[in-house]
Amino acid sequence: MDRWLAGSQGHRLRRATEPLVVDLGYGAAPVTAVEMFSRLRSVHDDVEVVGIEIDPARVAAAEPLARPGLSFRQGGFELPLGGRRPVLVRAFNVLRQYGEDEYAGYWDEVLGRLAPGGLFVDGTCDEIGRRSSWVALDATGPVSLSISLRFGAFERPSDVAERLPKALIHRNVEGERIHAYLRALDRAWLDAAPLASFGNQQRWTAMCRTLKATGWPLLHGPSRWRLGEITVAWDAVRPG
């Protein structure tokens, strides 16, 4: 997901007067915050990343890795930044721990603290990042759903279903848009099976082309598809 932020969303950092980024709920170890800092520094030399965790012990454990531009502090969705507004906030494997009736409130809380033109990313992934998905939100609300899969680590694109964000994970049932989308991905993936001999990258790209040709509102093109990513407009998958 850092790759997606640095690529398709890098413009938000480049035009920001204060390129402040938050890794919200980085977990037991601050690895994700450190990796995010390294990746986004390639986009903007002055990027500042703040890792935020609710557990003070985790914050204390992360402190030895702090450096200019990378810091850690205790807090939650209120984003304790002294009134500063981040241009990007990432929360991975955080909201999945909450109830389905709670996530929208936390979305609103974070969106109310973003800088103008900012983005909040609520996502979920497996333990080593082979299967992941995320919802991107701006001041207007959710704008897209992205799926990113490691080639060779799945049989069908719908294998990501168990790693959908909280807003969608319980909606993968007949009659819901996300269910129809995953079925369309699977059909296009199976139809592209003859390209498997040329590699999964070619097969995945063909799948994406099929979805775009059949009317699914994909937001990015081949440069992202080749990486095992696909992003669709939120209205195409939003809960009914």
Side-chain angles (χ1 to χ4, degrees), residues 52-70:
I52 296 178
E53 251 297 334
I54 198 71
D55 184 348
R58 292 181 173 183
V59 176
E63 284 296 341
L65 293 175
R67 64 196 72 169
L70 175 63

Side-chain angles (χ1 to χ4, degrees), residues 155-157 183-194 203 207:
E155 292 185 11
R156 298 186 182 190
R183 288 188 63 185
L185 285 172
D186 283 352
R187 284 195 300 270
W189 176 253
L190 293 174
D191 288 346
R203 185 178 178 183
M207 175 198 76

Side-chain angles (χ1 to χ4, degrees), residues 163-181:
R163 300 295 175 176
L164 289 171
K166 176 61 74 171
L168 296 173
I169 193 167
H170 300 301
R171 300 298 185 129
N172 184 28
V173 294
E174 194 71 42
E176 289 280 353
R177 295 176 181 87
I178 184 60
H179 182 72
Y181 180 59

